[in-house]
Amino acid sequence: MKQQVIEDVNIMPQLDKACGLDMHKDKIVGFISGKDGSNQEFREFGTYTCELKQIRDWLQESDIHHCLMESTGIYWMSLYAILTETGIEVIVANPVHIKQMPKRKTDRKDAKWLCTLLLHGLVRPSFMPDNTQRIIRDYCRNRLFYTWQLNRIRNRLLKILESNNIKLRSVISSIHTLSAMDMIRLLAKGVTDQEQLLSCARGKVIKKKEQLIKALNGTLQTYHHTQLQMLLEDYDHVQKQVDFLDKSITEIISEHYAQAFECLDSISGIGVKSAEIIISEAGKDMNRFPTADHFTAWCGIAPGNNESAGKRKNTAIKKGNSYLRVAIVGAAWAAVRMKDSYWHALFDKLRKRMKAQKAIVAIARRLLKVVYNTLETLTIYKEKGIAHFVDLQAKAALYHNAKLSLPQNNID
């Protein structure tokens, strides 16, 4: 507990000279000052690339080696890249952690306040990934956006089919299957021959030919064929983009994160896509997070603290990295579905005293701690099974019974 308190009150070393930059879409206000208030200077710049380079030159001429800016939207990214290339240490801080002074708020006062915080070491730097991780992070996030777009296109296809009484979804589990997509492509071309449509059936779908004959008899018109063709063209284009991103991500993983990926892939519930997202968002170096609890808090699945007068109140989970949170919660659902696993038994226990959604967040938090330890040690995870859970419960029961058997001091 003492070590934890020391970490919480740790203050960064003070600086002799620093700069605060207040970022906006079309304007950047900079303020330079020494620790004793000397050599103060305000300047305003635009946001074109040539003007960002003017900021770099101004800082170099003023012998500034430390700079602070807020992570305002996406506007800080280009300036961050330009300044860090010259060796200037740029701290990007979360605006939530930088409380502005009330009233009389101006851009100049904001820049001055940022400079003051940096000079006295009163700012918490945000996690900044290296260039390789930024590339794979952008690839993974773009793949996610394209995946959402694929789902929207599939829903549009299904809507057109269902509105014309093509009951394909009632026979085939998903229109994403090869059988369903081939049939939809023939329907988009105006093909109505049953034998030709049934020839697209594969696997288990072959046994459902009688149902398919009824399901494929609809009321599609010519303009519906046109709509289906347009959607299929969009689908093929987006799928091509997803395939390209998959290939690019795989190449980066194999070149820079092969060992970390292998370790993550061994964890229960974490598959290929989940492991790629974890690496892209958190990286493979866990030294940037002091403890596993810090890592879970950064992800946004750690419970908050709300204590007053010795009473602790319920709090929701904090905001954090939404991409990593979605991936680890999905992995937690996959882990609890594995029969005879530790996670399945733990979920059953938690489910008795809380809702499933709350229980899965608790599972995700523990699973993320396993991710932290796995990446920190780069060791293969071994599923301990339900026997490990039973053993832990037995030890906890023995400890509880031993505690109750201790003599209690009677207080009158």
Side-chain angles (χ1 to χ4, degrees), residues 213-257:
I213 293 174
K214 299 178 182 179
L216 293 171
N217 185 19
T219 59
L220 288 174
Q221 300 181 32
T222 304
Y223 77 96
H224 291 131
H225 300 156
T226 304
Q227 287 181 311
L228 289 174
Q229 290 174 5
M230 293 172 62
L231 288 173
L232 287 172
E233 288 178 4
D234 292 341
Y235 179 88
D236 292 337
H237 170 71
V238 176
Q239 185 62 58
K240 182 180 179 181
Q241 303 293 74
V242 172
D243 293 340
F244 171 78
L245 289 171
D246 282 336
K247 181 180 178 181
S248 301
I249 292 169
T250 302
E251 291 176 353
I252 296 176
I253 290 289
S254 60
E255 183 176 356
H256 300 280
Y257 304 99

Side-chain angles (χ1 to χ4, degrees), residues 31-94:
F31 176 76
I32 292 177
S33 176
K35 183 171 62 176
D36 55 356
S38 60
N39 301 321
Q40 293 186 1
E41 183 180 0
F42 272 110
R43 280 200 188 181
E44 293 187 5
F45 301 88
T47 55
Y48 295 112
T49 303
C50 59
E51 293 169 313
L52 298 184
K53 293 181 179 179
Q54 291 176 7
I55 299 176
R56 176 198 61 191
D57 298 337
W58 175 52
L59 296 180
Q60 288 181 323
E61 292 171 1
S62 303
D63 195 27
I64 297 296
H65 301 287
H66 298 83
C67 178
L68 172 63
M69 65 177 72
E70 294 177 315
S71 55
T72 306
I74 59 175
Y75 306 121
W76 59 271
M77 294 183 178
S78 296
L79 182 58
Y80 176 85
I82 291 175
L83 295 181
T84 52
E85 285 179 354
T86 61
I88 298 176
E89 183 178 346
V90 182
I91 295 178
V92 181
N94 190 330

Side-chain angles (χ1 to χ4, degrees), residues 177-327:
T177 60
L178 293 175
S179 300
M181 289 303 298
D182 287 347
M183 292 178 189
I184 294 173
R185 292 181 190 280
L186 290 179
L187 291 172
K189 296 178 181 179
V191 176
T192 58
D193 181 62
Q194 292 183 350
E195 292 299 327
Q196 192 172 351
L197 290 171
L198 293 176
S199 64
C200 300
R202 296 180 178 85
K204 296 180 180 180
V205 182
I206 298 177
K207 301 178 181 180
K208 303 178 181 180
K209 288 188 176 182
E210 293 184 3
Q211 294 175 277
L212 282 174
I213 293 174
K214 299 178 182 179
L216 293 171
N217 185 19
T219 59
L220 288 174
Q221 300 181 32
T222 304
Y223 77 96
H224 291 131
H225 300 156
T226 304
Q227 287 181 311
L228 289 174
Q229 290 174 5
M230 293 172 62
L231 288 173
L232 287 172
E233 288 178 4
D234 292 341
Y235 179 88
D236 292 337
H237 170 71
V238 176
Q239 185 62 58
K240 182 180 179 181
Q241 303 293 74
V242 172
D243 293 340
F244 171 78
L245 289 171
D246 282 336
K247 181 180 178 181
S248 301
I249 292 169
T250 302
E251 291 176 353
I252 296 176
I253 290 289
S254 60
E255 183 176 356
H256 300 280
Y257 304 99
Q259 187 176 3
F261 177 81
E262 183 181 1
C263 295
L264 287 176
D265 194 33
S266 65
I267 300 176
S268 303
I270 296 181
V272 174
K273 294 288 175 45
S274 299
E276 291 172 349
I277 293 174
I278 292 171
I279 290 175
S280 68
E281 297 297 333
K284 62 179 180 179
D285 183 13
M286 292 292 104
N287 292 328
R288 55 175 64 98
F289 303 105
T291 64
D293 289 329
H294 286 80
F295 184 43
T296 59
W298 180 78
C299 177
I301 58 173
N305 294 322
N306 186 5
E307 181 178 350
S308 180
K311 297 181 180 179
R312 291 186 177 182
K313 301 179 181 179
N314 292 331
T315 55
I317 59 176
K318 299 179 180 179
K319 292 183 179 180
N321 189 306
S322 59
Y323 299 96
L324 180 56
R325 182 169 62 248
V326 170

Side-chain angles (χ1 to χ4, degrees), residues 118-129:
L118 182 58
L119 283 171
H120 294 86
L122 299 175
V123 65
R124 185 190 306 172
S126 298
F127 163 54
M128 299 303 297

